[in-house]
Structures are given as C-alpha cells and as structure tokens.
Amino acid sequence: MGQRVLYEQYKVAMFSTAYRITNDVDVAHDVLQEAFVKVFINLSKYKGNGSLAGWIKTIVVRSALKELRGLHLHLEVDENIEDPVQFDDTLTGEMLAKMMASLPDKCRAVFCLIEVEGYSQKEVSEMINVQIGTVKSQLHYAKKLLKRSLYNSGYGLHNKG
C-alpha cells in the first residue's frame, strides 16, 4: 500500500481523533501531519500485531497528547457526584461535541480517550504518564462538567431516583 493511499484511507478518522483531543483545527492538522510522518518512517516496524488502524491511532493519540504536555492535569475534584441525569431527545451529537470542546484540555483528552476512543483508564494512565487516580478524577470531573453544561443548557430533565 502506497503512502498516499494509506494517508487517504485513514486521514479523516485520525484527524477526528486528533481534533477531539486537541480541540483546535490547526493543531489537529499539525498532529495529523506529524503522526503520519512517524507512521511512514516506522511502517517497516509494524509487524501486523493488531490492526493497522489501531497502530496508526496510537501514534496519532501520542502526538496529540504531546501537544497537551505542559498543561497541569491535577485538579481538585468534588467526589460527591449527583445522580445521573436523563436528557431531552432533542440533544444532538453536534451539541454534545460543542460541550465536550469546552472542557479543559487535559480533562477533555482523558474523557475522549476513554469514552470516545475506548481506551482503558490504565492505558490512558500509561499514555500520559500519570497515576490512575489522576485519570479517574479527570474523567469524573469531565463527566461532572458535561452534566452541568447539559443541564444548564436545558437538556437535563430530571434526576433519576
């Protein structure tokens, strides 16, 4: 498979991943380019263990996280989480994506890696080189902020109970 064909096949999905983590179109494009340079340089090292898409995504995720380094990941988190909120049927994916984009950078990255990309908390902990407790608190904080944002936007109907 030629480099151009490989790039064309995966660029949209990988850009989407980079954008969800960085929340910046220009940075996501830079991440995509940097990641594909690494992919092409290291393609001979890919041994076929796991999917090619998964291998490329790992490179994209690491490149995106590299852009976020230097931001502090530790936040004070209130451990008292409210009951889950049910949301109005008019909530769209686009509205939810906008709310996710408003999360703090590292918090959004952790949320996207776990809830959108499907990585485990342990995998994310290793990727960003922090304790798993920090990942858990960031995920908790992201969910709390999203819930508050959704509720304040009029999509939360009532607490389950």
Side-chain angles (χ1 to χ4, degrees):
M1 179 181 301
Q3 290 181 351
R4 186 72 182 164
V5 172
L6 185 68
Y7 178 78
E8 291 297 325
Q9 183 175 349
Y10 293 106
K11 72 178 181 182
V12 173
M14 297 307 152
F15 174 80
S16 180
T17 297
Y19 178 73
R20 280 192 298 270
I21 293 170
T22 64
N23 196 36
D24 185 298
V25 171
D26 294 331
V27 173
H29 280 294
D30 291 345
V31 164
L32 187 68
Q33 296 305 314
E34 177 187 332
F36 270 97
V37 167
K38 290 176 184 174
V39 166
F40 298 142
I41 289 171
N42 294 294
L43 196 54
S44 64
K45 295 178 183 175
Y46 173 68
K47 302 296 182 202
N49 298 335
S51 74
L52 179 60
W55 182 74
I56 294 171
K57 183 189 274 188
T58 298
I59 294 170
V60 170
V61 166
R62 287 182 179 157
S63 296
L65 290 172
K66 181 179 168 192
E67 289 295 321
L68 297 181
R69 286 203 180 108
L71 297 175
H72 298 288
L73 188 59
H74 303 282
L75 294 173
E76 291 294 320
V77 177
D78 180 6
E79 294 299 327
N80 298 320
I81 196 161
E82 302 135 16
D83 290 332
V85 176
Q86 295 178 336
F87 299 103
D88 189 304
D89 290 339
T90 61
L91 178 66
T92 65
E94 183 179 330
M95 292 173 192
L96 183 57
K98 285 180 183 177
M99 291 176 187
M100 285 173 49
S102 71
L103 293 172
D105 289 342
K106 292 275 183 150
C107 190
R108 182 186 61 256
V110 168
F111 180 84
C112 287
L113 289 170
I114 294 169
E115 298 298 336
V116 178
E117 300 298 333
Y119 289 96
S120 71
Q121 292 177 358
K122 183 176 188 275
E123 289 170 321
V124 173
S125 170
E126 291 167 358
M127 278 184 214
I128 61 178
N129 198 28
V130 297
Q131 296 293 321
I132 196 163
T134 301
V135 170
K136 287 178 180 182
S137 72
Q138 285 295 292
L139 181 60
H140 171 84
Y141 186 60
K143 288 178 179 181
K144 183 175 181 177
L145 290 176
L146 284 173
K147 185 186 295 181
R148 184 179 304 141
S149 179
L150 287 165
Y151 189 80
N152 290 339
S153 297
Y155 291 102
L157 295 175
H158 60 276
N159 286 340
K160 289 182 180 178

